Amino acid sequence: GLRKEKPFIAINCGAIPAELLESELFGHERGAFTGADARRIGLIEVADGGTLFLDEIAELPFALQAKLLRVLQERRLRRVGARKETPVDVRIVAATSRDIDVMVENGTFRRDLFYRINVVRISLPPLRQRGDDIGLLAEFFASRAGREMGLSAGRFSADTYQVLRHYNWPGNVRELRNLIERVAILQ
């Protein structure tokens, strides 16, 4: 696409305290709050012309949802403490592990923002529903762990594949990867 050479900025909305997230996304002016000793460009502005990946967007505080919606609609943002708006052209890609449809229905995620970001939706079923993928992923993670640790990658037995396939995987792909790495370390 036209943005492939432009910045790709990723932020985990659930990993940053709510009181810091506004400044991280929108930036701030010098003196906007205690400790703001210099102007700081926010990640939306850093991604200008490119893509901003908002991981765990459902964790975005409700007040910031309104500000993000305004940026998407107006293509302008206002840094914390600024009087003027700054034009931005950013594509938003968002992900969440929560049921955002339920959040919209119960009013914990803004309906208007949901409709604005829900242009192309890709639903990824949990690992437990993708039984055929488990063996392929396990082999991939075993091969990668072997390379990283200088070990030879062994093959899994048919019984091992069955155990992996029938496990519920509450931690999804991350849990499978960590299990395979643990096995590689302990072998």
Side-chain angles (χ1 to χ4, degrees):
L2 298 175
R3 298 179 189 264
K4 69 180 177 182
E5 302 298 325
K6 303 293 184 174
F8 178 86
I9 307 297
I11 184 170
N12 185 331
C13 298
I16 299 172
E19 51 278 354
L20 298 177
L21 192 54
E22 181 176 12
S23 179
E24 277 293 310
L25 288 172
F26 298 93
H28 62 259
E29 295 293 327
R30 181 176 186 253
F33 50 83
T34 304
D37 54 355
R39 171 188 271 182
R40 184 165 191 276
I41 304 300
L43 294 177
I44 294 172
E45 203 170 340
V46 171
D48 190 31
T51 302
L52 178 66
F53 174 49
L54 297 172
D55 195 9
E56 295 302 341
I57 193 169
E59 304 298 326
L60 197 64
F62 205 76
L64 285 183
Q65 292 176 29
K67 290 182 179 191
L68 178 61
L69 177 64
R70 182 165 172 78
V71 168
L72 295 177
Q73 288 178 309
E74 304 298 323
R75 302 182 117 198
R76 305 179 71 72
L77 67 78
R78 186 180 312 227
R79 292 185 203 109
V80 176
R83 296 190 190 280
K84 294 183 179 180
E85 291 184 329
T86 302
V88 291
D89 173 24
V90 65
R91 171 178 49 194
I92 300 291
V93 175
T96 184
S97 60
R98 301 195 38 204
D99 189 337
I100 201 161
D101 295 308
V102 169
M103 293 180 71
V104 168
E105 286 306 311
N106 69 24
T108 56
F109 194 88
R110 290 183 63 101
R111 185 177 301 274
D112 48 1
L113 178 57
F114 172 74
Y115 291 135
R116 187 72 171 92
I117 64 172
N118 193 29
V119 176
V120 175
R121 188 175 195 160
I122 300 171
S123 294
L124 185 61
L127 186 57
R128 68 183 158 274
Q129 293 177 8
R130 301 186 338 252
D132 292 341
D133 295 342
I134 293 171
L136 295 171
L137 286 167
E139 288 176 14
F140 170 77
F141 291 137
S143 176
R144 186 170 77 180
R147 277 193 316 274
E148 291 174 358
M149 296 177 207
L151 305 170
S152 61
R155 303 281 306 162
F156 295 106
S157 70
D159 290 342
T160 301
Y161 282 122
Q162 286 304 315
V163 169
L164 294 174
R165 188 179 186 117
H166 289 98
Y167 180 66
N168 193 34
W169 300 107
N172 259 320
V173 175
R174 288 183 181 123
E175 183 180 6
L176 175 61
R177 183 190 66 216
N178 290 340
L179 172 71
I180 299 301
E181 287 177 4
R182 188 178 315 121
V183 169
I185 290 169
L186 296 175
Q187 69 170 330

